[in-house]
Amino acid sequence: MNRLPPDPTVLHPFPDQPRVVLLKPLVTSDLIDVGEYSYYDDPDDPTAFETRNVLYHYGPERLVIGKYCALGTGARFIMNGANHRMDGPSTFPFPVMGGSWAEHFDLLTGLPVRGDTVVGNDVWFGHHAMVMPGVRIGHGAIVASGAVVVDDVPDYGIVGGNPARLIRTRYSEDDIARLLSLAWWDWPAEHLTEHVRTLMSGTIADLEEVAPRG
């Protein structure tokens, strides 16, 4: 039996499934940071993730996605560049059309921004979930299919709907604290290899028992 963990640097972790890509070896933008083993699944063109799924990313805000995240088809991140003015009679961005309208570009450069969009580790995004600018999604969270996330999501929270609301948390506050203390996503991949079954079907106590020592 092969006791080695999978290679986190390959683009397609399943050679016979080109619809799945690991994001860390795919992304090229300095404004996107993705942890190891986080993947995206798309039957059309998963390799176009940076242009089709990260939208209006004109900078300087960053998109940070942790390790071991699962992104379903059509998961999208709307960045701050999508903002329009709303304090005047029209929301239309006249200056971006060029010509003499470009003289008024200062009307756009002062728009408020919400900062970086940050996704924790071990987050699962359902089919066509959407994350709005500046949102922070906690470790172990689940974003339901079709959800539009406009506010921060707590660690191990499950959110759904438009706008997304907290449905429940996966664990109690005490158990969430235990899981965050374990931070299993930072364990060496070789150690995780020995305890995959515990991670997927064990209890928190089981996980504490197999945590690396020292």
Side-chain angles (χ1 to χ4, degrees), residues 106-157:
D106 62 295
L107 292 170
L108 299 180
T109 55
L111 285 171
V113 296
R114 293 190 61 186
D116 297 342
T117 299
V118 180
V119 177
N121 302 286
D122 190 29
V123 177
W124 175 20
F125 291 89
H127 195 81
H128 285 284
M130 181 184 295
V131 178
M132 300 305 285
V135 166
R136 293 178 176 262
I137 299 177
H139 304 300
I142 297 174
V143 180
S145 296
V148 179
V149 185
V150 300
D151 294 312
D152 293 353
V153 178
D155 296 312
Y156 292 93

Side-chain angles (χ1 to χ4, degrees), residues 26-140:
L26 174 70
V27 298
T28 59
S29 172
D30 291 337
L31 297 176
I32 303 176
D33 183 15
V34 185
E36 290 184 340
Y37 297 109
S38 288
Y39 73 86
Y40 175 58
D41 181 314
D42 193 321
D44 294 327
D45 185 6
T47 62
F49 178 82
E50 287 181 271
T51 55
R52 292 179 58 191
N53 302 80
V54 184
L55 306 178
Y56 312 107
H57 199 189
Y58 310 132
E61 294 76 29
R62 297 172 54 79
L63 170 61
V64 180
I65 300 174
K67 306 173 187 176
Y68 303 101
C69 292
L71 282 67
T73 301
R76 288 170 293 171
F77 298 88
I78 309 299
M79 304 303 288
N80 284 294
N83 285 338
H84 290 227
R85 290 190 74 107
M86 296 187 295
D87 56 342
S90 175
T91 63
F92 190 81
F94 289 91
V96 302
M97 296 293 119
S100 60
W101 295 353
E103 298 173 8
H104 307 286
F105 218 87
D106 62 295
L107 292 170
L108 299 180
T109 55
L111 285 171
V113 296
R114 293 190 61 186
D116 297 342
T117 299
V118 180
V119 177
N121 302 286
D122 190 29
V123 177
W124 175 20
F125 291 89
H127 195 81
H128 285 284
M130 181 184 295
V131 178
M132 300 305 285
V135 166
R136 293 178 176 262
I137 299 177
H139 304 300

Side-chain angles (χ1 to χ4, degrees), residues 154-214:
D155 296 312
Y156 292 93
I158 301 175
V159 297
N162 180 8
R165 303 295 186 191
L166 181 65
I167 299 170
R168 64 179 177 87
T169 55
R170 297 173 56 195
Y171 296 95
S172 68
E173 288 187 15
D174 288 345
D175 283 346
I176 289 173
R178 293 166 67 191
L179 285 163
L180 295 178
S181 178
L182 285 166
W184 65 260
W185 41 81
D186 290 331
W187 297 359
E190 293 77 11
H191 187 79
L192 290 177
T193 300
E194 302 298 321
H195 303 289
V196 167
R197 298 193 67 84
T198 301
L199 278 163
M200 295 186 68
S201 63
T203 65
I204 299 175
D206 293 335
L207 201 60
E208 289 171 331
E209 286 187 10
V210 301
R213 308 299 178 191

